[in-house]
Amino acid sequence: MLLSNLSNVIEEKAMHLKEIEVKYNETALSLSSLMKEKDKKLAIEKEMNERATLEKKKADENVFKLAEDHKREKEELRKRIMELEKQINAKQEIERIRGPLSVMKHMENVEDSKFKQKIDDTQKALQQKEEELEDVEALNQFLVVQERKTNDELQEALMELINFLIGVDYITRAPPSLH
């Protein structure tokens, strides 16, 4: 009877041990599955962070480029202002010469050769100033066209950067399940 009792206890213990083994295997399998899922999520988050970092780096480079372009454009505008000031000065110089020349032409009946030479010299100076003014106006027109083209390019680049940054912001804020 003692032997039968011991045998029963051993069988119970063996069954209990088998149940514990089954539960252990189920738990280990579940834990392994959870660990794989967690590793997968971490890998996705790491990839997203790396992508966002790269996108931010690109955005920073674009911002720097835009700042450089803006600085260059300001310098071009400063040069344009200087050219316009030169143009105004040239026009004023022409008007300053035209006034006395007009008076001299009305006095043309005077036979003084020095006086006629002065009129000729003044007309040549006036013609030279008018030619310089035409050159400055042509340069000004060229600069206006270039400035407009540069401004259009900057506006386009700015819009691309804004759209890009909106996309980066969406990627970094969206939950991983939406990627």
Side-chain angles (χ1 to χ4, degrees), residues 15 19 28-29 35 44-45 56 68 76 80 85 88 105 119 130 132 155 171:
M15 284 177 56
E19 287 175 8
L29 185 62
M35 291 299 288
I44 289 171
E45 283 183 30
K56 185 180 181 323
E68 288 295 315
E76 287 175 6
R80 181 168 174 232
E85 286 173 350
I88 289 170
K105 283 184 179 179
I119 290 175
E130 286 175 339
E132 288 174 9
Q155 290 297 324
I171 288 173

Side-chain angles (χ1 to χ4, degrees), residues 121-134:
D121 290 345
T122 305
Q123 282 181 325
K124 286 178 185 175
L126 178 60
Q127 184 177 358
Q128 182 182 359
K129 293 291 181 182
E130 286 175 339
E131 289 172 0
E132 288 174 9
L133 178 60
E134 287 175 11

Side-chain angles (χ1 to χ4, degrees), residues 23-40:
K23 284 184 182 180
Y24 169 79
N25 288 338
E26 288 174 356
T27 304
L29 185 62
S30 175
L31 183 60
S32 175
S33 173
L34 284 174
M35 291 299 288
K36 285 180 184 177
E37 190 176 319
K38 182 73 172 172
D39 288 344
K40 193 178 199 180

Side-chain angles (χ1 to χ4, degrees), residues 15-178:
M15 284 177 56
H16 184 64
L17 182 61
K18 240 184 189 156
E19 287 175 8
I20 290 175
E21 222 177 288
V22 167
K23 284 184 182 180
Y24 169 79
N25 288 338
E26 288 174 356
T27 304
L29 185 62
S30 175
L31 183 60
S32 175
S33 173
L34 284 174
M35 291 299 288
K36 285 180 184 177
E37 190 176 319
K38 182 73 172 172
D39 288 344
K40 193 178 199 180
K41 284 183 179 180
L42 286 174
I44 289 171
E45 283 183 30
K46 181 180 177 185
E47 181 183 337
M48 284 175 44
N49 287 339
E50 288 172 354
R51 200 176 322 149
T53 301
L54 180 63
E55 298 295 330
K56 185 180 181 323
K57 181 180 176 187
K58 286 179 185 177
D60 289 345
E61 289 171 359
N62 285 342
V63 167
F64 179 74
K65 182 181 180 283
L66 281 176
E68 288 295 315
D69 289 346
H70 180 69
K71 183 179 175 182
R72 182 179 44 80
E73 184 180 276
K74 279 177 64 175
E75 181 62 25
E76 287 175 6
L77 288 175
R78 187 188 64 74
K79 287 178 184 178
R80 181 168 174 232
I81 288 170
M82 289 175 58
E83 288 298 321
L84 288 172
E85 286 173 350
K86 284 180 186 179
Q87 185 178 1
I88 289 170
N89 290 340
K91 284 182 179 180
Q92 289 173 343
E93 181 70 17
I94 287 171
E95 290 304 316
R96 190 186 64 77
I97 294 171
R98 260 194 198 136
L101 182 60
S102 177
V103 170
M104 288 179 197
K105 283 184 179 179
H106 290 301
M107 298 173 58
E108 236 178 71
N109 55 1
V110 177
E111 290 295 326
D112 187 1
S113 66
K114 286 184 181 179
F115 188 70
K116 284 188 176 194
Q117 183 61 40
K118 176 92 171 153
I119 290 175
D120 289 341
D121 290 345
T122 305
Q123 282 181 325
K124 286 178 185 175
L126 178 60
Q127 184 177 358
Q128 182 182 359
K129 293 291 181 182
E130 286 175 339
E131 289 172 0
E132 288 174 9
L133 178 60
E134 287 175 11
D135 291 343
V136 169
E137 286 176 344
L139 176 61
N140 180 47
Q141 186 60 34
F142 172 76
L143 290 174
V144 167
V145 170
Q146 285 300 106
E147 185 242 346
R148 185 68 210 156
K149 196 182 298 184
T150 301
N151 190 38
D152 289 347
E153 290 171 2
L154 282 173
Q155 290 297 324
E156 184 178 322
L158 179 61
M159 290 309 297
E160 287 179 21
L161 178 62
I162 289 170
N163 290 335
F164 174 78
L165 290 174
I166 289 170
V168 168
D169 186 49
Y170 174 77
I171 288 173
T172 57
R173 291 178 187 234
S177 62
L178 294 179

